[in-house]
Amino acid sequence: MPTAIAVTGPDLVLPSPDRHTPSAAVLQSAVQSPRTYSLDQALTEMDTLIEHHGYVVVLCPASAPTSVTHRLHAVRSVLESDRIAVVRSDLPPLGLAVLALQLRQLSICDFSPGVLASAARLLSHYIYAGALLGSVAKLDRVPVTLQSHAKSWLPGAQFAVLATPRPELVKLSGDGGATLPGPGFATRMLYAPGQLAPGWVTETLAPAWNCQGVTEVRPAAESARWWATGRVVEFAAAIPDISVLYQLVSSVRRDDCHWCGLELIGDRCAFCAAPLPPPVDHAPPRTLAPSGATALPRGVT
């Protein structure tokens, strides 16, 4: 069985693009209150996933309540399992759902659990996630100037905001012709309309980014809280082709974690959080010159 990809809410599960891509496991321990879903139930839920899949990669938004992350780490600690990776992400809701889909696609490939889990950080840099907003007055996840705050109070004001990979904010003019810096590679765009019309996203932004296709999905319940307004159309453009994703992850150097032994890419193991040790300097030791003399480079007389 492939490594299980688990998420902390049903809104993070996008439809599978084909019959080969597995779904994600929605952790009830993160969805339900501890008052109605006991720790024993949470342990059973996670233990069942480990038994069926061997390893579990949990995608958890950085914006999740602390009670959710505490419960996840408590489950991992009580089970004393090194087969659970809790990967936190700053991506907005739709962007995180796209990342979960990409990991689900890659889970059926020949990547080891450690590489798959640590690939989450790599793939996040290739997801262009943002939103069309009717107000940025309360937005605190992307830098907003005082002038933009003031313009938020104007009737009919709209803003295009890019959260990742690089924050960007643009106030749209009356003709809606402004755009955001986009990816320099082939992507497909997903968008989730809230209380705004999605025309600018589908008719201006997607063509400007040369997206290969545009698909509407249901808005996430978390979207309005994340973007601090219900007047939102969330969007995310990402690499849809599993062969390109596979090549991207395969091209990165792999190392073995010195603590748990799992393979990893990047500078930190996603399962045990141990950092990659600094490279060992194998340069030959320098020869000390006699007192009062000057040491010359080897081979110079």
Side-chain angles (χ1 to χ4, degrees), residues 8-79:
T8 55
D11 292 335
L12 299 180
V13 184
L14 294 172
S16 299
D18 52 61
R19 61 187 180 88
H20 303 292
T21 301
S23 185
V26 179
L27 296 180
Q28 295 305 307
S29 58
V31 175
Q32 299 189 35
S33 168
R35 296 180 180 178
T36 58
Y37 202 79
S38 68
L39 180 58
D40 284 343
Q41 289 175 298
L43 294 172
T44 301
E45 175 185 45
M46 186 65 73
D47 192 52
T48 301
L49 284 175
I50 295 174
E51 182 179 349
H52 289 171
H53 296 272
Y55 290 85
V56 181
V57 178
V58 182
L59 283 181
C60 177
S63 59
T66 54
S67 59
V68 172
T69 55
H70 288 169
R71 173 63 70 96
L72 291 174
H73 287 289
V75 168
R76 190 180 189 279
S77 177
V78 173
L79 289 178

Side-chain angles (χ1 to χ4, degrees), residues 26 28 42-43 57 65 87 98 101 106 134 148 164 178 186 201 209 219 240 257 275 280 282 297:
V26 179
Q28 295 305 307
L43 294 172
V57 178
V87 180
V98 169
L101 176 59
L106 292 174
S148 294
T164 62
V201 174
W209 283 5
C257 177
V280 179
H282 294 290

Side-chain angles (χ1 to χ4, degrees), residues 7-14 59-64 89-101 127 129-131 133 139 141 163-164 190-192 217-229 232-236:
V7 293
T8 55
D11 292 335
L12 299 180
V13 184
L14 294 172
L59 283 181
C60 177
S63 59
S89 173
D90 290 317
L91 286 167
L94 184 54
L96 188 56
V98 169
L99 176 61
L101 176 59
I127 297 176
L133 303 177
L139 182 63
R141 302 188 188 279
T164 62
L190 301 179
Y191 73 97
V217 296
R218 68 177 187 272
E222 178 69 8
S223 181
R225 189 175 77 87
W226 203 97
W227 293 103
T229 178
V232 56
V233 179
E234 197 170 3
F235 57 82

Side-chain angles (χ1 to χ4, degrees), residues 253-258 264-269 273-279:
R253 171 183 165 177
R254 304 184 192 187
D255 293 283
D256 292 331
C257 177
H258 69 97
L264 61 91
I265 59 175
D267 59 359
R268 184 175 297 274
C269 177
L276 190 67

